Amino acid sequence: MSMLKQMRRILDVFKQSKGYDANILKHVSLVEASKGKIKCEMVVHDEHLNGYGTLHGGCSATIIDSVSSFAFVTMDDNQAGVSSDINASFIKAAKLGETIVIKSDVLKGYGRVQFANVDICNQAGELLVTGRHTKFMR
């Protein structure tokens, strides 16, 4: 089975779960998947907005957490791990109806502590949010 097909199956399981991130992931489409790399797209809906009518920072942090976790799963040990650190820098706002492109790259995908970057851009390629996620692997 191709990496993309395998990761789409995993994403579908998360979308159907009762977990916190399922409400955000239900709008995410997986576009590309390869070892250590994930690319997704999502249209910003009302439930993703803050009081200013733009993508909520907490929603962005959840996207960083979830999409980088999928990138970690593409590595040889197939683990998502547990978060030990996550950060986000908010550069530009995404608005209602806008399609965002989410790319995650594993920086270090071996050992007990692993790292990934996530960039959230608009369709024009402008950086909206950038984040880093550190995971502990069992």
Side-chain angles (χ1 to χ4, degrees):
M1 173 183 325
S2 75
M3 179 76 70
L4 181 59
K5 188 173 183 177
Q6 179 182 356
M7 294 310 300
R8 282 184 173 151
R9 290 177 77 178
I10 292 169
L11 176 59
D12 286 343
V13 169
F14 276 86
K15 286 180 178 186
Q16 296 170 21
S17 76
K18 302 287 186 224
Y20 171 80
D21 48 359
N23 288 323
I24 295 167
L25 292 175
K26 68 183 177 186
H27 297 287
V28 171
S29 298
L30 186 57
V31 177
E32 295 174 15
S34 59
K35 185 175 180 179
K37 297 182 182 300
I38 292 286
K39 180 180 177 184
C40 299
E41 292 182 348
M42 184 185 91
V43 175
V44 178
H45 292 270
D46 285 324
E47 65 226 54
H48 304 136
L49 302 179
N50 60 25
Y52 296 104
T54 59
L55 183 63
H56 193 287
C59 182
S60 296
T62 299
I63 290 168
I64 290 167
D65 184 358
S66 298
V67 174
S68 62
S69 294
F70 295 137
F72 287 121
V73 170
T74 68
M75 301 305 292
D76 293 333
D77 61 4
N78 299 107
Q79 291 187 57
V82 293
S83 299
S84 62
D85 184 62
I86 191 166
N87 70 61
S89 297
F90 306 99
I91 297 157
K92 188 175 179 179
K95 297 175 180 71
L96 179 65
E98 190 170 359
T99 298
I100 57 174
V101 179
I102 308 130
K103 293 181 185 177
S104 181
D105 295 299
V106 173
L107 301 172
K108 178 182 174 251
Y110 57 89
R112 293 255 187 211
V113 180
Q114 300 184 18
F115 304 88
N117 275 346
V118 179
D119 288 334
I120 301 173
C121 299
N122 60 23
Q123 284 189 305
E126 297 172 306
L127 186 61
L128 307 175
V129 181
T130 187
R132 180 162 293 172
H133 194 184
T134 306
K135 289 255 191 162
F136 175 77
M137 303 297 178
R138 298 175 196 249

